[in-house]
mmCIF file of all heavy atoms in Angstrom:
data_model
loop_
_atom_site.group_PDB
_atom_site.id
_atom_site.type_symbol
_atom_site.label_atom_id
_atom_site.label_comp_id
_atom_site.label_asym_id
_atom_site.label_seq_id
_atom_site.Cartn_x
_atom_site.Cartn_y
_atom_site.Cartn_z
ATOM 1 N N VAL A 180 23.446 -6.358 30.573
ATOM 2 C CA VAL A 180 24.906 -6.504 30.594
ATOM 3 C C VAL A 180 25.352 -7.271 29.381
ATOM 4 O O VAL A 180 24.769 -8.287 29.031
ATOM 5 C CB VAL A 180 25.338 -7.424 31.895
ATOM 6 C CG1 VAL A 180 26.853 -7.698 31.909
ATOM 7 C CG2 VAL A 180 24.853 -6.663 33.112
ATOM 8 N N THR A 181 26.448 -6.859 28.802
ATOM 9 C CA THR A 181 27.058 -7.528 27.645
ATOM 10 C C THR A 181 28.328 -7.999 28.094
ATOM 11 O O THR A 181 29.152 -7.179 28.452
ATOM 12 C CB THR A 181 27.152 -6.456 26.465
ATOM 13 O OG1 THR A 181 25.823 -5.911 26.140
ATOM 14 C CG2 THR A 181 27.600 -7.229 25.253
ATOM 15 N N MET A 182 28.445 -9.367 27.925
ATOM 16 C CA MET A 182 29.820 -9.884 28.341
ATOM 17 C C MET A 182 30.255 -10.875 27.268
ATOM 18 O O MET A 182 29.575 -11.460 26.486
ATOM 19 C CB MET A 182 29.601 -10.724 29.631
ATOM 20 C CG MET A 182 29.218 -9.908 30.815
ATOM 21 S SD MET A 182 29.092 -10.798 32.291
ATOM 22 C CE MET A 182 30.722 -10.722 32.910
ATOM 23 N N ASP A 183 31.545 -10.971 27.183
ATOM 24 C CA ASP A 183 32.141 -11.871 26.276
ATOM 25 C C ASP A 183 31.964 -13.348 26.792
ATOM 26 O O ASP A 183 32.041 -13.481 28.106
ATOM 27 C CB ASP A 183 33.728 -11.587 26.280
ATOM 28 C CG ASP A 183 34.468 -12.484 25.250
ATOM 29 O OD1 ASP A 183 34.060 -13.579 25.067
ATOM 30 O OD2 ASP A 183 35.374 -11.972 24.703
ATOM 31 N N PRO A 184 31.549 -14.324 26.052
ATOM 32 C CA PRO A 184 31.246 -15.620 26.476
ATOM 33 C C PRO A 184 32.426 -16.231 27.268
ATOM 34 O O PRO A 184 32.217 -17.065 28.160
ATOM 35 C CB PRO A 184 31.022 -16.476 25.221
ATOM 36 C CG PRO A 184 30.531 -15.407 24.239
ATOM 37 C CD PRO A 184 31.309 -14.069 24.636
ATOM 38 N N SER A 185 33.612 -15.965 26.833
ATOM 39 C CA SER A 185 34.806 -16.504 27.646
ATOM 40 C C SER A 185 34.885 -15.934 28.996
ATOM 41 O O SER A 185 35.319 -16.723 29.937
ATOM 42 C CB SER A 185 36.120 -16.180 26.859
ATOM 43 O OG SER A 185 36.338 -14.810 26.817
ATOM 44 N N THR A 186 34.454 -14.801 29.224
ATOM 45 C CA THR A 186 34.335 -14.183 30.645
ATOM 46 C C THR A 186 33.274 -14.994 31.477
ATOM 47 O O THR A 186 33.551 -15.276 32.606
ATOM 48 C CB THR A 186 34.043 -12.736 30.641
ATOM 49 O OG1 THR A 186 34.896 -12.013 29.785
ATOM 50 C CG2 THR A 186 34.052 -12.099 32.058
ATOM 51 N N LEU A 187 32.142 -15.316 30.824
ATOM 52 C CA LEU A 187 31.117 -15.996 31.535
ATOM 53 C C LEU A 187 31.614 -17.402 31.966
ATOM 54 O O LEU A 187 31.232 -17.949 32.960
ATOM 55 C CB LEU A 187 29.858 -16.087 30.691
ATOM 56 C CG LEU A 187 29.034 -14.793 30.521
ATOM 57 C CD1 LEU A 187 27.907 -15.033 29.584
ATOM 58 C CD2 LEU A 187 28.447 -14.418 31.939
ATOM 59 N N ALA A 188 32.382 -18.033 31.021
ATOM 60 C CA ALA A 188 32.893 -19.322 31.280
ATOM 61 C C ALA A 188 33.831 -19.382 32.546
ATOM 62 O O ALA A 188 33.978 -20.419 33.195
ATOM 63 C CB ALA A 188 33.554 -19.915 30.012
ATOM 64 N N ALA A 189 34.479 -18.320 32.773
ATOM 65 C CA ALA A 189 35.507 -18.159 33.809
ATOM 66 C C ALA A 189 34.887 -17.976 35.279
ATOM 67 O O ALA A 189 35.465 -18.162 36.134
ATOM 68 C CB ALA A 189 36.478 -17.076 33.527
ATOM 69 N N VAL A 190 33.489 -17.561 35.284
ATOM 70 C CA VAL A 190 32.836 -17.345 36.542
ATOM 71 C C VAL A 190 32.425 -18.720 37.227
ATOM 72 O O VAL A 190 31.882 -19.626 36.539
ATOM 73 C CB VAL A 190 31.567 -16.476 36.241
ATOM 74 C CG1 VAL A 190 30.756 -16.382 37.504
ATOM 75 C CG2 VAL A 190 31.879 -15.188 35.652
ATOM 76 N N PRO A 191 32.887 -18.868 38.514
ATOM 77 C CA PRO A 191 32.660 -20.144 39.116
ATOM 78 C C PRO A 191 31.206 -20.428 39.382
ATOM 79 O O PRO A 191 30.312 -19.635 39.486
ATOM 80 C CB PRO A 191 33.481 -20.044 40.392
ATOM 81 C CG PRO A 191 33.785 -18.648 40.595
ATOM 82 C CD PRO A 191 33.629 -17.987 39.320
#
Side-chain angles (χ1 to χ4, degrees):
V180 178
T181 305
M182 297 181 88
D183 185 324
S185 62
T186 306
L187 286 175
V190 176

